[in-house]
Amino acid sequence: MSIADNLKQYKKEVETDGVKLIAVSKTQSVDAILEAYHAGQRVFGENMVQEMVEKQNQLPDDIEWHLIGHLQSNKVKYIAPFVKLIHGVDSLKLLQEINKQAVKNKRVIDCLLQIYIAEEETKFGLAHDEVIELLRSSEYAELKNIRIVGVMAIATNTKNEKQITIEFNELKVLFDGLKASFFKNEESFKEISTGMSADYKLAIEEGSTMVRIGSNIFGKRIIKHFKNISNN
């Protein structure tokens, strides 16, 4: 099946539930992204800053770029002019840097707080108590050029669907609690970004509003080296 055919299948399945489909285009070529674009896809997710910047310069302006990978503070400045949503915010320090760069670009940048739900030490994310501490802090209250619009998480990489469902449910319960306590009057706080190719159906059942699908749309990933952006 072609990229267009794959997209059509996922859009029909996902978007009928009101869920946003993020086409994970990391390591994919500009031509492959264009094929998806011409098939109607406008939301693309990248996990490497330098790769996203390079592609953004070559592709249509109405593409909505989401940074879905772990983001280092010193790389924020490169994506601040155009990024639509930063999924993996896992510290106050990172939020402060995003706010700083948003001010420079005269923007408000939307962010998701990444929550640790998996039983794997390799995953990033804030623990439940850390999220509450962050949102209660005076430092967070000072940040006027970022907007927290929801939460993001990655479940444990396991075939145990019961465990994955429990983790997704835990995220939904936390989201509901944060909504009631900190974002009661903010309609923008509505996103739960979780679920990938292997577990997106379970994620949607547990309240996900965004799912990230990559190789099932584009086919096997192509390994390409993108120019490195300086850490200075």
Side-chain angles (χ1 to χ4, degrees):
M1 291 175 72
S2 67
I3 290 173
D5 289 336
N6 292 338
L7 257 177
K8 185 177 180 181
Q9 175 187 328
Y10 276 103
K11 277 181 171 293
K12 183 178 179 182
E13 186 174 353
V14 169
E15 294 181 351
T16 50
D17 292 324
V19 176
K20 180 172 281 191
L21 174 63
I22 301 166
V24 179
S25 50
K26 61 182 182 181
T27 76
Q28 300 296 336
S29 69
V30 167
D31 287 343
I33 297 171
L34 271 176
E35 187 176 337
Y37 176 88
H38 291 308
Q41 182 66 16
R42 291 294 181 272
V43 186
F44 294 90
E46 294 281 338
N47 70 338
M48 297 291 290
V49 167
Q50 56 265 40
E51 187 175 343
M52 188 162 87
V53 170
E54 189 172 320
K55 289 173 176 176
Q56 191 266 343
N57 286 328
Q58 300 177 63
L59 287 158
D61 289 338
D62 62 337
I63 283 179
E64 190 176 298
W65 292 101
H66 291 213
L67 197 286
I68 60 174
H70 182 64
L71 177 59
Q72 295 173 295
S73 295
N74 58 9
K75 300 287 181 68
V76 175
K77 59 189 174 185
Y78 299 109
I79 62 172
F82 67 87
V83 68
K84 174 67 176 177
L85 181 62
I86 298 175
H87 285 234
V89 178
D90 59 359
S91 70
L92 176 61
K93 177 190 172 188
L94 180 55
L95 263 187
Q96 289 171 323
E97 181 62 25
I98 296 168
N99 187 79
K100 175 183 172 183
Q101 298 302 330
V103 170
K104 288 182 180 180
N105 286 276
K106 297 182 173 62
R107 306 182 62 204
V108 173
I109 297 178
D110 286 347
C111 301
L112 301 175
L113 295 175
Q114 182 166 359
I115 312 300
Y116 185 86
I117 61 171
E119 292 185 7
E120 294 173 27
E121 293 181 6
T122 55
K123 297 285 195 299
F124 293 99
L126 295 155
H128 290 203
D129 57 339
E130 292 174 326
V131 178
I132 292 166
E133 183 181 349
L134 186 157
L135 293 173
R136 283 179 176 165
S137 70
S138 57
E139 292 91 345
Y140 166 72
E142 294 171 359
L143 306 179
K144 304 303 182 186
N145 284 67
I146 58 97
R147 183 172 68 164
I148 304 298
V149 298
V151 295
M152 174 268 207
I154 300 172
T156 302
N157 184 15
T158 175
K159 292 183 178 179
N160 184 339
E161 292 191 356
K162 184 177 180 181
Q163 180 181 344
I164 294 169
T165 297
I166 289 170
E167 291 172 357
F168 286 153
N169 179 258
E170 176 188 320
L171 184 68
K172 179 63 164 65
V173 169
L174 176 65
F175 170 86
D176 289 342
L178 296 177
K179 177 75 173 176
S181 299
F182 297 100
F183 301 97
K184 193 172 184 178
N185 299 316
E186 296 183 33
E187 291 182 12
S188 57
F189 188 84
K190 60 182 182 180
E191 307 294 358
I192 300 176
S193 172
T194 194
M196 298 184 284
S197 295
D199 57 20
Y200 72 94
K201 291 181 180 179
L202 297 176
I204 291 171
E205 287 175 7
E206 297 301 326
S208 176
T209 65
M210 294 181 172
V211 295
R212 308 182 294 275
I213 310 292
S215 55
N216 283 17
I217 291 173
F218 291 103
K220 191 175 179 180
R221 290 194 183 115
I222 302 158
I223 303 303
K224 178 184 175 184
H225 296 290
F226 289 80
K227 62 184 179 182
N228 189 40
I229 289 178
S230 169
N231 287 331
N232 295 330

